[in-house]
Amino acid sequence: APSFPWLTALWAAGAAACALFFIAAWVRCRLEFRESLPVTDERPRRWLLGQGLRRQVRLCQSDRVSAPLTYGLLRPVILLPNTMDWDKAEQAQYVLTHELVHIRRLDGLWKMLLIAALCLHWFNPLVWVMVLLANRDLEISCDERVVRAFGSGARRGYALALLGMEERRDALRPLCNSFSKNAIEERIRAIMNGKKTT
């Protein structure tokens, strides 16, 4: 009689557990985000209308987040903390530009592909490292695009905006692109040095 394929069963169980973990995190985030409200301030809304976007992007605010983030592919949303100070126009433009870069490059789709690879290769520590480094590179690349858009004179202001944004550590949001403090020292050095990141 053929032996039971234990290795295949173990891989399938691990892949299913990994997938369920990320699905549960996504569902929890969607439930949290349902309580967000549209941004009522006209200044960021006018700025967004002037960006020539092909997809409609919604601006929302919530007390559940402490740093801006982006989610959704077909109907993307930029979710901002309730504490966002729209009177600081320069900082607001840095933040919104950073999130628009994520939307235009479809970084949410890349995150989905990374998570799919992680679920299929959950047993390989190098894949976990790849996902961590890829997420870091997405943020550093966005930082580079923001500095390029505003010019080298914006480096200090953008670095200060990055430092001023705190990210909650008590929530996993694997499919969101966050204006986060991941690899913060490296990101600040990259911004201030102005060296192109490969």
Side-chain angles (χ1 to χ4, degrees):
S3 60
F4 186 78
W6 291 105
L7 287 179
T8 301
L10 179 62
W11 168 82
C18 197
L20 286 173
F21 174 79
F22 285 110
I23 290 171
W26 177 79
V27 170
R28 186 177 68 248
C29 290
R30 296 292 292 192
L31 291 175
E32 286 182 3
F33 298 160
R34 285 173 59 184
E35 299 177 9
S36 63
L37 298 173
V39 171
T40 57
D41 195 298
E42 288 297 323
R43 289 170 292 182
R45 294 171 64 182
R46 284 197 302 267
W47 183 88
L48 191 62
L49 288 174
Q51 299 306 303
L53 297 170
R54 296 182 180 180
R55 287 174 291 166
Q56 182 180 1
V57 177
R58 291 192 299 138
L59 282 176
C60 295
Q61 286 185 290
S62 172
D63 60 358
R64 295 293 190 98
V65 298
S66 56
L69 59 86
T70 302
Y71 66 94
L73 292 176
L74 299 179
R75 293 179 293 178
V77 176
I78 297 177
L79 185 60
L80 303 153
N82 282 342
T83 55
M84 189 78 181
D85 187 355
W86 297 114
D87 290 330
K88 297 180 179 178
E90 186 178 72
Q91 184 185 77
Q93 287 188 18
Y94 292 149
V95 169
L96 292 174
T97 301
H98 181 102
E99 299 305 329
L100 282 182
V101 172
H102 280 306
I103 291 172
R104 284 180 165 139
R105 297 191 316 186
L106 298 175
D107 283 350
L109 178 61
W110 288 110
K111 284 185 175 259
M112 288 182 181
L113 293 174
L114 287 169
I115 288 174
L118 191 61
C119 291
L120 292 174
H121 298 274
W122 59 268
F123 54 88
N124 188 342
L126 293 179
V127 176
W128 289 85
V129 173
M130 176 196 73
V131 172
L132 290 173
L133 294 179
N135 278 291
R136 181 208 62 175
D137 289 346
L138 286 176
E139 295 301 325
I140 291 177
S141 177
C142 274
D143 295 337
E144 186 180 289
R145 290 284 295 273
V146 172
V147 171
R148 192 184 308 161
F150 286 92
S152 59
R155 294 184 191 280
R156 183 176 180 275
Y158 181 58
L160 290 174
L162 185 65
L163 285 169
M165 290 293 169
E166 295 290 340
E167 182 190 24
R168 283 185 179 176
R169 296 296 182 184
D170 58 352
L172 176 67
R173 300 186 174 105
L175 294 176
C176 298
N177 299 294
S178 174
F179 196 89
S180 69
K181 299 186 74 175
N182 292 335
I184 184 65
E185 292 183 7
E186 182 178 6
R187 292 176 66 186
I188 294 298
R189 284 198 302 269
I191 291 168
M192 298 309 294
N193 292 337
K195 294 180 181 178
K196 184 175 179 59
T197 304
T198 59

